Amino acid sequence: MSTEKMENIEPQKIFVKYLPKNITVDEIKAFFSVCGIVLKVYLKSLKSPDQGKPTYICAFITYGTQAGADRAVSELNHKEMKKGHISQKLSVMYSLNYEGRKELQVDNSKEKKVPNAKEYQELWLKCSSNAEKINQIYNKPEEQKQIEELRTKKCELQAKQDELKKTNNKLKDEINLLRLEVQIKNMDIKNTKLKEAQ
């Protein structure tokens, strides 16, 4: 993947919108851990820009690896999450890094102004509208197929390696047994010679 495509993305971090109300950090960790080890969850609420619409719950989730974030965006985007009798369809996307957010900052006498909540909200809405394009960048069927093939080959090689270890141990046991038989035969020959000498 080119640097240009990743320059505005935090590869191990995702942004999730429309979580069920009253959801807990532990429940979020349990739900998203199916894709990889979750290191950190930051839960917050944002007001909808449309008048009359309620506040929605969102979260920033940091995975231990990029593969975990990739799986979450690929497999959990638009998936329903339940909390009691409430079921919410999630919006899962990659989190923007500083470079992706700084376009909202205003240069004031060479000092960068930190964006306010509304500006952050506008940026995340923009990111949401481009979620499909971002997913296309990260989720290529050809690459996924190659990864699966490599995993299959790895499992096959591991199985062959285990089989060779068993065969090797068996050969070692047979060699030790042959050595013992040779020693016994040599002792028998010596005993026979001693008897003949007497």
Side-chain angles (χ1 to χ4, degrees), residues 85-117:
H85 298 292
I86 301 172
S87 181
Q88 291 278 100
K89 187 174 283 189
L90 304 177
S91 175
V92 183
M93 66 196 76
Y94 293 95
S95 176
L96 294 177
N97 61 16
Y98 172 75
E99 292 298 323
R101 297 193 300 266
K102 75 177 183 179
E103 65 180 84
L104 295 179
Q105 296 180 343
V106 179
D107 190 353
N108 185 13
S109 300
K110 296 183 179 181
E111 292 183 3
K112 293 183 178 178
K113 179 184 174 183
V114 178
N116 58 34

Side-chain angles (χ1 to χ4, degrees), residues 149-165:
E149 287 176 354
L150 287 171
R151 283 176 179 166
T152 302
K153 287 181 181 178
K154 181 182 177 182
C155 291
E156 289 174 355
L157 288 171
Q158 186 66 47
K160 286 181 180 178
Q161 187 178 10
D162 292 339
E163 192 175 333
L164 285 171
K165 283 181 180 178

Side-chain angles (χ1 to χ4, degrees), residues 189-198:
I189 291 170
K190 286 181 180 179
N191 288 332
T192 302
K193 287 181 178 180
L194 286 171
K195 287 179 180 178
E196 289 176 351
Q198 291 176 354

